[in-house]
């Protein structure tokens, strides 16, 4: 009688072992010299890294390609598009050794802005990027025009794709609320929330250079100031030193040097 449960476990163990051995590991293809040249020409963040960090950035981009599917909708995908999407994903998590976007399976690239029904033709279209919820959970949609603009010299403090990947980081603790608990030690949570609301009041009173979209809610505040942090770090450090310090702590990096 005592041996019966064990006898049942043997076939279960064998099946599990078979599935583990059968599962193929996804190969991580290294970037080509052409890929690296594109990164150097179009991604200022990468261009400003030293050779050691450039290699690490390239490895993270390659790892992203191996775990997340990038699909074009209504357009022909280019290598530039793929590399800009991957760079947008890597920049916020560059300070972490082993971060993976476990809450993302695919990125859909649309030609231009779209509406809440995911239509990019006709009508009122003002959405440049979004992280899917409900049946779209695990997916991100980006506008190619917004993606490319975010890496142009005229973008200023804005980068739509980085904004959306920061939402994913925020969401990784289960709530998109502007408090990235996976990245922020518990004792810093309340000071961060206090700082957010103080700065939101300044924006409302036209006493801040932060994009007014940041006062929508805490989640949007976090994403908007993160764009600022990565796109114009020196300016943020000069105008908002405490905010820069807190974001440096959250992202484990200091892009202003």
């Amino acid at each position: 009688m005592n041996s019966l449960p064990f006898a049942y476990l043997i076939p279960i163990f064998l099946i599990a072992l078979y599935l583990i051995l059968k599962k193929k590991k996804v190969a991580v293809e290294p970037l080509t010299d052409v890929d690296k040249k594109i990164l150097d020409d179009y991604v200022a963040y990468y261009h400003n890294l030293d050779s050691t960090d450039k290699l690490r950035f390239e490895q993270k981009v390659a790892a992203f390609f191996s775990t997340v599917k990038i699909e074009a909708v209504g357009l022909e995908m280019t290598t530039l598009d793929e590399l800009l999407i991957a760079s947008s994903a890597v920049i916020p998590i560059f300070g972490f050794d082993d971060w993976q976007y476990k809450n993302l399976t695919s990125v859909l690239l649309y030609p231009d802005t779209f509406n809440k029904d995911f239509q990019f033709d006709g009508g009122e279209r003002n959405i440049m990027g979004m992280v899917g919820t409900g049946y779209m959970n695990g997916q991100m949609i980006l506008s190619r025009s917004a993606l490319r603009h975010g890496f142009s010299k005229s973008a200023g403090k804005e980068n739509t794709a980085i904004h959306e990947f920061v939402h994913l980081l925020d969401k990784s603790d289960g709530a998109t609320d502007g408090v990235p608990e996976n990245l922020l030690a518990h004792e810093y949570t309340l000071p961060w929330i206090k700082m957010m609301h103080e700065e939101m009041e300044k924006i409302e009173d036209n006493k801040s250079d932060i994009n007014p979209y940041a006062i929508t809610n805490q989640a949007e505040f976090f994403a908007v100031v993160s764009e600022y942090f990565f796109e114009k770090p020196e300016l943020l450090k000069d105008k908002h030193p405490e905010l820069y310090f807190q974001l440096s702590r959250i992202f484990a990096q200091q892009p202003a040097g």
Side-chain angles (χ1 to χ4, degrees):
M1 291 294 291
N2 290 337
S3 64
L4 191 58
F6 180 73
Y8 281 130
L9 288 174
I10 292 175
I12 296 172
F13 171 77
L14 292 174
I15 292 169
L17 182 63
Y18 168 76
L19 291 173
I20 291 170
L21 293 175
K22 185 185 176 195
K23 187 178 181 181
K24 293 180 180 178
K25 189 176 181 180
V26 178
V28 176
E29 295 287 338
L31 300 191
T32 66
D33 288 341
V34 173
D35 295 333
K36 296 172 189 176
K37 179 68 165 59
I38 291 173
L39 287 177
D40 208 46
D41 288 345
Y42 289 91
V43 182
Y45 182 99
Y46 170 87
H47 178 81
N48 294 329
L49 297 174
D50 62 30
S51 57
T52 301
D53 280 341
K54 277 186 176 178
L55 176 59
R56 194 159 64 87
F57 191 97
E58 293 157 15
Q59 291 169 340
K60 286 180 177 292
V61 165
F64 180 82
F65 284 144
S66 72
T67 57
V68 177
K69 188 175 183 181
I70 301 175
E71 299 179 86
V73 180
L75 57 86
E76 187 172 330
M77 184 79 72
T78 69
T79 301
L80 172 62
D81 296 323
E82 293 175 328
L83 287 168
L84 293 184
I85 290 170
S87 295
S88 307
V90 169
I91 288 169
I93 54 91
F94 192 65
F96 314 123
D97 290 335
D98 301 311
W99 184 276
Q100 285 189 351
Y101 289 97
K102 294 179 180 177
N103 52 356
L104 181 68
T105 57
S106 64
V107 177
L108 305 179
L109 188 64
Y110 280 19
D112 209 332
T113 52
F114 51 96
N115 61 27
K116 59 183 177 60
D117 297 317
F118 316 118
Q119 302 299 312
F120 52 84
D121 287 322
E124 200 171 307
R125 298 174 289 110
N126 58 6
I127 303 175
M128 295 183 290
M130 68 178 293
V131 173
T133 57
Y135 75 94
M136 291 289 287
N137 195 44
Q139 297 188 64
M140 177 186 291
I141 305 175
L142 291 172
S143 150
R144 178 160 71 178
S145 57
L147 170 70
R148 292 189 176 186
H149 175 71
F151 286 92
S152 70
K153 288 182 171 61
S154 61
K157 308 165 191 148
E158 299 176 4
N159 188 306
T160 295
I162 288 177
H163 180 111
E164 297 306 324
F165 277 102
V166 169
H167 276 322
L168 276 185
L169 289 179
D170 187 7
K171 188 180 180 182
S172 67
D173 60 18
T176 311
D177 56 4
V179 184
E181 294 180 24
N182 288 339
L183 313 179
L184 191 64
H186 182 69
E187 62 267 29
Y188 301 128
T189 299
L190 288 178
W192 169 244
I193 293 173
K194 183 173 182 287
M195 179 183 293
M196 280 198 291
H197 286 277
E198 287 174 351
E199 194 60 44
M200 289 166 85
E201 287 178 13
K202 290 178 185 176
I203 297 170
E204 278 193 290
D205 294 337
N206 294 315
K207 295 178 180 177
S208 174
D209 67 331
I210 295 171
N211 187 330
Y213 188 64
I215 66 174
T216 305
N217 54 47
Q218 289 185 178
E220 295 302 343
F221 179 89
F222 177 45
V224 166
V225 297
S226 296
E227 292 178 71
Y228 194 160
F229 177 74
F230 289 114
E231 290 298 309
K232 295 291 181 183
E234 293 85 2
L235 186 62
L236 181 68
K237 188 176 183 179
D238 178 56
K239 289 185 172 290
H240 309 274
E242 186 59 27
L243 183 55
Y244 176 86
F245 173 75
Q246 290 287 6
L247 290 169
S248 295
R249 175 184 279 156
I250 289 171
F251 292 111
Q253 51 180 304
Q254 297 200 35

